[in-house]
Amino acid sequence: MTLSKFIAISNGYTPGEPQRQPNVPVPFHAPNVYLEPVSIDSLNSPSALTGAEPWLALPPALAIPPGAGAICDADGPRRIGRGAAEGAFTTAPVMVAHASLTARRLGIASPPRSAELLDVLELFAFVRPARFCAPSPSGLALAMGMSEPRGAEAQAQALMDAASGLLKELADPAYPNREDAFTVAETLGRAGWSWAWRVSGALQHIPIRERQHRGSGLDAWSRLPEWEEEAPRGEAGSAPVDSESARIRLEKLLQASGLDETRPTQSDYAAEAAFAFSPRNEEGRPRVLLAEAGTGTGKTLGYLAPASLWAERNQGAVWVSTYTRALQRQIDRESAALWPDPVERRKKTVVRKGRENYLCLLNLQDMTQAAQLGNGDLIGMALASRWAMHSRDGDMTGGDYPGWLPGLFAVGSGQAASAANLVDRRGECVHAACPHYRTCFVEKTIRASRRADLVVANHALVMTQAAFDGARSARGLKQDGETAALKRIVFDEGHHLFDAADSAFSACLSGQEAAELRRWLRGPEGRGRRGRGLEQRLGDLCADNESATKALQDAVRAAAQLPGEGVSGRIAPASGEVNPVGPIERFLLAALEQLRARTSENASGGGAEFGMECSLRPVTEPVLEAAREAAKALAAVEAPLLALSRHLEDILDDEASELDGASRARIEGALRGLDRRARMTLPGWRSMLAALEVSSDEPDPDFLDWLSAEAAFGRIMDVALRRHWIDPTVPLEAAVIMPAHGVLVTSATLSDPNSDDPFDMARLRTGSARLIEPARTLKVDSPFDYAAHSRVIVVNDLIKDDTRQTAAAMRELFLAAGGGGLGLFTAIRRLKAVYERLGPDLAKSGIPLYAQHIDPLEVGALVDVFRAEQDSCLLGTDAVRDGVDVPGRSLRILAFDRVPWPRPDLLHKARRLRFGGEGAGGRNFDDALARAKMAQAFGRLIRRADDKGVFVMLDAAAPTRLFASLPPGTEVQRMGLAEAVEQVGAFLKRD
């Protein structure tokens, strides 16, 4: 008898019919205490469970890595062909890891949930909520404390062992909060979850108290602890941090981390970083240090040493701002050396992101209740609710939420338990009017950051909040509490400051942006859409004032002139029959006609990979005429919003003595939303439109305005009028750098060795070039022996525009390395073309290949899988390069498809002229940007002293001068592909 038939018979159902939970009596509940989850070894010991329990009878486990798949059942693991694998996946009870990715490997559509398809990742999410796991069989094995399974059979066996181990973990007496888990499991059972009866059976291995009435277990919003308001911390002090104290603190941190010796370069770095924590002598003259620390220096602990000292001595918070979520997590982990006790560390270190990153409990309640009525994914919502009860801070994007969870099965995008549906992306928060205000993750995190010593934020939050605070300060209003203490800042990944400022201080009037504003004002206008319009959010605050109510109604009414959803289908339909609605859409249509007239035929057809763009001037008459009408429509929205904002400000003043804390918080929250739109967004849009009336064709010396269209799948998706600062460090300096007391900008790639002053470009791109008190500079070389541990190769016999040759080169190089390859591309089109050829070839050798923009995983999850599987390969673009932190053998060869020159769009051309000038100066500017990208990529290759790696450029025309930014000791070798393959194999051959 096969294992699948045994399962069917023992559980009382016929294969092909829905599984039903067995009629198991509910025994008495025995209390338990929290212990760490037990290990796989202990669960598989002779004294552990016997395996006779029905809930431990598992269906076969199916693993489909590239090449042949494997299945594991009662007879053990064995390889199977593609047809057998597809049959097992589509017809028989089977366990997998990531059903959608498995389906893609089999060449079939992503499956819906079914009783016979059990995803072990869902079981992991239930058993270990808010715990990390890479979404693959290897990721599950590593998360369960097993070694990485190599090959299809080992992966199938690992899936079986992981599922068995997770169920036994539920059955262990030490499993915490058993009754809560059982309540959720019963709800999941009623929803048809394939794991439900096994999970319930495992939980009942230790008796659970019988209850006549048991809730759903999904109401996380009502069971989370409430935050408590505390007295203001007050202004931070000005006690300095001297270099010797920083060295001593660093030594203590290293000892706490289990490191016995202090590296001289790291100690010097910490001592110099103390300058940024010395008191300034005059307003507007911050202490600024630009510090380059080569990979392996240990810069995180290097700056945490003086930062923690300053926070202790001055009772203030140091903000550490990063560009990537991965580094935010890393800094949070390394702060354990400062505060080993997890409870204390949660108070001292707070990870801070924008509100759009955190679970909105009101959205969770709305979607859960809709799913309980049959309109949504109840299983996904139940697992998200269980996560919410265990999450550290409710962070759904880069925090402890398993981002892969909503993509395991085919679920409608509007019904999935995803960040897109469960966070407040559109500014619809009702603040103190929300019934979950006291348990809100955002409010809890904001308050925690006001009491923390270390706030780990990101560049985007710091920039946008500083811009908002600056606008409020200019009007004589107090700064927002979120960044009022932004006086001591460490910008890690400082080479991204320029791009972060460019994004934060720009303006864009597009169909999608205008439609978002309409939705914010009027709420969702389609059937079955969730959300709250302005009247729902603020109507009761204005009920006692006729003029305020009229202003609110006028704003909502005027918003009808803004584009609604589906704007691209009206201004650029596939049929060609345009139907613009309202003045904004007519302006965008006229802009699209100007774009088509002034760009190439290929681009105007929507075939260009990057869409279209053209200079705004000279403006066509239809654009100019439509702009006038669009400006009037925007003014009609802006005026009543300003009136409404003034009314709310009057309430704060006139009723200051009568308002309770909740009402004040609600009004202040409403004002923040109104200010962003009525005093920043709308005036910015009107200013761009008004500039079209200026008769002169002379460009503005500070700004660049242009028209653009985004294209995808051969269609125009959106049209925009854009305005960017040519030098975004001007507002960066004014809003962030100048008001601060001390700023440390640090990175492994700040300097440019081809310049007379290596930090010239860093000064230009960080806003420190204009400071009255010049910024100090520091360069600390990496301690790694790059001559012994790395190779740099330029392959000089390929035609770079031939994707067949690129794919063949990557295939041979990755095979020679035995996997562990990262392919970086400057264009998504070439990435996809190479993937189609490269994937099958690597699969024949059993090497998994993953790719950004192809696999149904977001970038962070792709990198997690790449890290977990030592011999896998990954293809990606800039987002992968910036997010990769993969020490060890998992990354041992990195290949660029071509030199990462900056894309010569209109904005880059304007900046090249501003910062480099014509001729050689402009070329040097381009060179510096390309060198920086190559240095950043190379820095991902060698992360530890014992790492070995090869950096390959598949572009024969790559100038030698671009490699000057690589660490000392690296030597560039130019050779043909055959010789390169031989060198890679010999250099990376395992001892």
Side-chain angles (χ1 to χ4, degrees):
M1 180 183 297
T2 65
L3 181 58
S4 59
K5 288 184 179 178
F6 166 75
I7 296 166
I9 295 171
S10 64
N11 295 323
Y13 80 99
T14 303
E17 294 181 355
Q19 298 183 29
R20 296 177 175 84
Q21 182 175 334
N23 186 17
V24 181
V26 182
F28 180 75
H29 166 68
N32 57 71
V33 295
Y34 177 80
L35 296 174
E36 287 295 322
V38 292
S39 69
I40 291 293
D41 292 338
S42 66
L43 288 173
N44 289 332
S45 67
S47 61
L49 297 168
T50 64
E53 290 80 1
W55 44 268
L56 269 178
L58 293 167
L62 177 67
I64 310 291
I71 198 162
C72 180
D73 57 17
D75 299 324
R78 63 185 184 279
R79 289 212 169 194
I80 58 175
R82 181 190 180 97
E86 183 175 343
F89 183 77
T90 56
T91 62
V94 68
M95 295 189 300
V96 296
H98 208 297
S100 290
L101 187 56
T102 304
R104 190 187 183 286
R105 290 244 173 96
L106 291 170
I108 58 180
S110 184
R113 285 196 181 88
S114 73
E116 297 187 345
L117 185 56
L118 293 82
D119 200 313
V120 185
L121 287 168
E122 277 197 330
L123 179 62
F124 184 94
F126 180 92
V127 178
R128 297 186 178 184
R131 299 277 294 275
F132 173 78
C133 176
S136 71
S138 298
L140 276 163
L142 294 174
M144 297 294 293
M146 300 183 283
S147 59
E148 181 194 346
R150 303 293 183 90
E153 296 99 322
Q155 290 188 15
Q157 182 67 62
L159 272 182
M160 182 67 73
D161 293 342
S164 176
L166 288 166
L167 290 171
K168 291 176 182 178
E169 192 170 309
L170 288 175
D172 191 87
Y175 190 77
N177 303 316
R178 179 180 306 280
E179 190 163 342
D180 289 346
F182 181 72
T183 301
V184 177
E186 283 195 318
T187 299
L188 285 165
R190 291 189 291 271
W193 190 39
S194 55
W195 287 105
W197 72 263
R198 289 183 174 86
V199 166
S200 296
L203 288 167
Q204 291 178 101
H205 184 73
I206 301 298
I208 291 179
R209 180 174 54 188
E210 185 174 0
R211 290 181 181 272
Q212 185 176 0
H213 299 290
R214 192 183 293 274
S216 67
L218 306 185
D219 55 340
W221 50 85
S222 65
R223 293 183 291 132
L224 288 166
E226 295 186 350
W227 52 261
E228 295 182 358
E229 198 70 80
E230 296 185 42
R233 194 176 191 179
E235 187 76 19
S238 300
V241 175
D242 61 276
S243 298
E244 189 57 32
S245 296
R247 291 183 192 272
I248 294 171
R249 171 56 62 90
L250 173 63
E251 187 175 352
K252 292 180 179 178
L253 293 182
L254 291 171
Q255 291 172 354
S257 301
L259 302 174
D260 296 330
E261 60 181 27
T262 304
R263 286 164 281 184
T265 53
Q266 187 181 26
S267 182
D268 292 343
Y269 176 88
E272 292 294 328
F275 172 73
F277 300 95
S278 59
R280 66 180 184 179
N281 295 326
E282 293 182 41
E283 184 180 8
R285 295 193 174 193
R287 305 285 190 165
V288 178
L289 174 66
L290 306 179
E292 177 175 290
T295 305
T297 301
K299 63 180 170 59
T300 304
L301 286 181
Y303 62 66
L304 286 183
S308 60
L309 272 175
W310 183 88
E312 288 177 13
R313 293 178 179 179
N314 295 287
Q315 298 299 299
V318 174
W319 281 60
V320 179
S321 179
T322 76
Y323 189 70
T324 61
R325 298 165 182 165
L327 186 55
Q328 277 188 288
R329 292 194 298 268
Q330 177 187 325
I331 295 168
D332 180 41
R333 287 194 302 268
E334 296 208 30
S335 69
L338 286 163
W339 304 289
D341 179 24
V343 176
E344 182 184 17
R345 184 157 63 95
R346 284 192 205 98
K347 295 180 180 178
K348 295 288 189 178
T349 304
V350 174
V351 177
R352 214 32 210 101
K353 298 181 181 179
R355 155 180 313 271
E356 67 279 1
N357 293 277
Y358 296 93
L359 172 69
C360 169
L361 294 173
L362 192 55
N363 282 349
L364 177 65
Q365 182 182 13
D366 287 349
M367 291 197 69
T368 299
Q369 291 175 345
Q372 287 175 308
L373 296 174
N375 183 25
D377 177 22
L378 183 56
I379 293 172
M381 291 303 152
L383 293 173
S385 183
R386 181 156 169 75
W387 161 79
M389 290 299 302
H390 294 80
S391 175
R392 171 181 168 176
D393 55 11
D395 182 359
M396 297 193 76
T397 59
D400 51 22
Y401 185 72
W404 39 259
L405 187 60
L408 298 182
F409 295 96
V411 177
S413 59
Q415 299 178 333
S418 62
N421 292 323
L422 292 175
V423 303
D424 175 25
R425 289 191 182 278
R426 296 184 172 93
E428 295 176 344
C429 180
V430 293
H431 301 280
C434 177
H436 314 310
Y437 180 67
R438 298 288 303 183
T439 55
C440 175
F441 284 115
V442 177
E443 297 296 332
K444 196 177 298 182
T445 305
I446 290 172
R447 281 157 181 77
S449 68
R450 293 172 183 169
R451 307 292 301 177
D453 284 5
L454 194 68
V455 180
V456 185
N458 54 63
H459 296 348
L461 173 66
V462 171
M463 301 293 174
T464 55
Q465 193 62 39
F468 179 65
D469 280 351
R472 288 177 65 86
S473 296
R475 295 172 46 235
L477 300 176
K478 71 173 184 177
Q479 286 191 334
D480 192 298
E482 295 187 38
T483 54
L486 199 62
K487 302 304 180 188
R488 301 286 173 174
I489 316 171
V490 177
F491 284 112
D492 204 338
E493 298 178 302
H495 56 278
H496 285 299
L497 262 185
F498 188 93
D499 294 330
D502 183 38
S503 177
F505 300 109
S506 61
C508 170
L509 171 55
S510 70
Q512 292 300 321
E513 291 287 334
E516 282 292 308
L517 178 59
R518 173 178 175 139
R519 192 184 192 282
W520 183 81
L521 286 162
R522 296 175 65 87
E525 296 173 283
R527 293 184 60 186
R529 300 296 182 89
R530 295 179 305 102
R532 292 159 288 277
L534 197 62
E535 282 188 298
Q536 291 175 280
R537 300 197 300 273
L538 301 182
D540 60 322
L541 289 177
C542 306
D544 61 341
N545 187 294
E546 184 178 345
S547 59
T549 300
K550 183 179 184 301
L552 176 59
Q553 293 173 345
D554 288 347
V556 172
R557 189 179 305 111
Q561 295 297 302
L562 298 173
E565 293 186 15
V567 56
S568 63
R570 293 187 293 275
I571 64 174
S575 65
E577 297 180 5
V578 298
N579 181 33
V581 177
I584 309 298
E585 292 190 15
R586 287 193 289 273
F587 167 74
L588 295 175
L589 177 59
L592 180 58
E593 292 303 320
Q594 178 171 324
L595 275 162
R596 284 172 168 156
R598 297 181 183 173
T599 52
S600 67
E601 182 179 349
N602 180 52
S604 64
E609 181 173 357
F610 299 108
M612 296 183 285
E613 63 172 25
C614 75
S615 298
L616 188 59
R617 299 179 183 280
V619 184
T620 64
E621 189 58 35
V623 169
L624 188 59
E625 184 178 344
R628 297 188 186 105
E629 297 302 314
K632 291 178 183 177
L634 296 176
V637 177
E638 180 183 334
L641 288 180
L642 288 172
L644 180 59
S645 181
R646 287 191 292 268
H647 168 69
L648 295 179
E649 290 171 352
D650 290 342
I651 292 178
L652 288 180
D653 289 338
D654 299 341
E655 303 177 19
S657 60
E658 303 171 13
L659 286 174
D660 57 34
S663 298
R664 176 173 292 277
R666 184 183 174 194
I667 294 172
E668 288 177 344
L671 280 172
R672 283 195 292 271
L674 288 168
D675 279 357
R676 288 184 189 278
R677 291 158 180 86
R679 291 193 166 97
M680 296 177 71
T681 300
L682 283 165
W685 289 353
R686 288 198 304 106
S687 174
M688 288 192 290
L689 293 171
L692 301 181
E693 295 284 359
V694 179
S695 58
S696 173
D697 287 340
E698 287 296 320
D700 190 298
D702 295 321
F703 298 100
L704 180 70
D705 294 352
W706 77 98
L707 299 174
S708 70
E710 295 179 11
F713 308 109
R715 288 190 54 196
I716 299 296
M717 306 306 292
D718 202 4
V719 180
L721 168 62
R722 300 181 179 276
R723 167 173 287 182
H724 282 238
W725 284 84
I726 295 177
D727 182 0
T729 67
V730 173
L732 168 65
E733 179 201 16
V736 182
I737 307 294
M738 292 283 284
H741 290 222
V743 178
L744 168 62
V745 181
T746 187
S747 168
T749 54
L750 274 183
S751 66
D752 182 13
N754 272 33
S755 173
D756 293 336
D757 183 341
F759 283 91
D760 264 352
M761 183 62 72
R763 291 189 185 92
L764 286 173
R765 292 178 65 83
T766 60
S768 59
R770 293 179 299 274
L771 292 175
I772 300 173
E773 184 172 324
R776 287 191 184 183
T777 60
L778 171 69
K779 181 176 171 62
V780 179
D781 289 332
S782 170
F784 296 157
D785 185 353
Y786 287 103
H789 290 270
S790 68
R791 296 289 183 270
V792 179
I793 298 173
V794 177
V795 178
N796 58 14
D797 59 352
L798 300 178
I799 300 175
K800 67 181 181 181
D801 292 325
D802 187 341
T803 55
R804 294 174 300 177
Q805 293 193 32
T806 302
M810 286 193 177
R811 177 192 66 214
E812 296 304 318
L813 291 166
F814 290 173
L815 287 174
L822 175 62
L824 292 177
F825 293 79
T826 56
I828 298 172
R829 172 180 47 81
R830 290 197 300 273
L831 182 156
K832 291 181 176 179
V834 168
Y835 176 87
E836 293 301 322
R837 295 179 176 274
L838 184 59
D841 291 342
L842 292 182
K844 293 175 184 176
S845 298
I847 296 178
L849 178 65
Y850 300 94
Q852 182 191 10
H853 303 292
I854 294 175
D855 286 311
L857 294 170
E858 49 93 22
V859 170
L862 279 172
V863 173
D864 290 338
V865 173
F866 178 59
R867 185 186 298 110
E869 300 180 7
Q870 283 198 15
D871 295 333
S872 65
C873 295
L874 175 63
L875 306 182
T877 57
D878 284 355
V880 169
R881 183 199 66 216
D882 293 333
V884 166
D885 182 18
V886 182
R889 280 184 53 80
S890 291
L891 175 54
R892 49 192 181 270
I893 180 168
L894 185 151
F896 262 109
D897 78 318
R898 60 180 61 195
V899 172
W901 294 114
R903 187 160 63 92
D905 55 23
L906 293 171
L907 185 57
H908 174 73
K909 290 177 181 177
R911 286 173 176 164
R912 179 169 57 195
L913 188 61
R914 169 68 60 87
F915 295 120
E918 299 284 1
R923 190 197 74 176
N924 291 339
F925 180 72
D926 286 349
D927 284 359
L929 296 182
R931 271 194 298 270
K933 287 185 177 181
M934 290 167 61
Q936 291 151 24
F938 184 89
R940 304 296 177 183
L941 189 60
I942 308 293
R943 306 298 292 172
R944 300 187 311 208
D946 58 348
D947 280 356
K948 293 181 71 174
V950 181
F951 181 98
V952 182
M953 177 64 70
L954 301 178
D955 186 347
T960 301
R961 66 181 184 274
L962 296 185
F963 295 89
S965 59
L966 301 189
T970 54
E971 178 186 353
V972 180
Q973 303 177 72
R974 296 177 180 269
M975 61 187 71
L977 177 61
E979 186 180 354
V981 169
E982 183 179 354
Q983 280 216 18
V984 167
F987 181 69
L988 294 179
K989 184 178 181 181
R990 274 186 154 168
D991 296 333

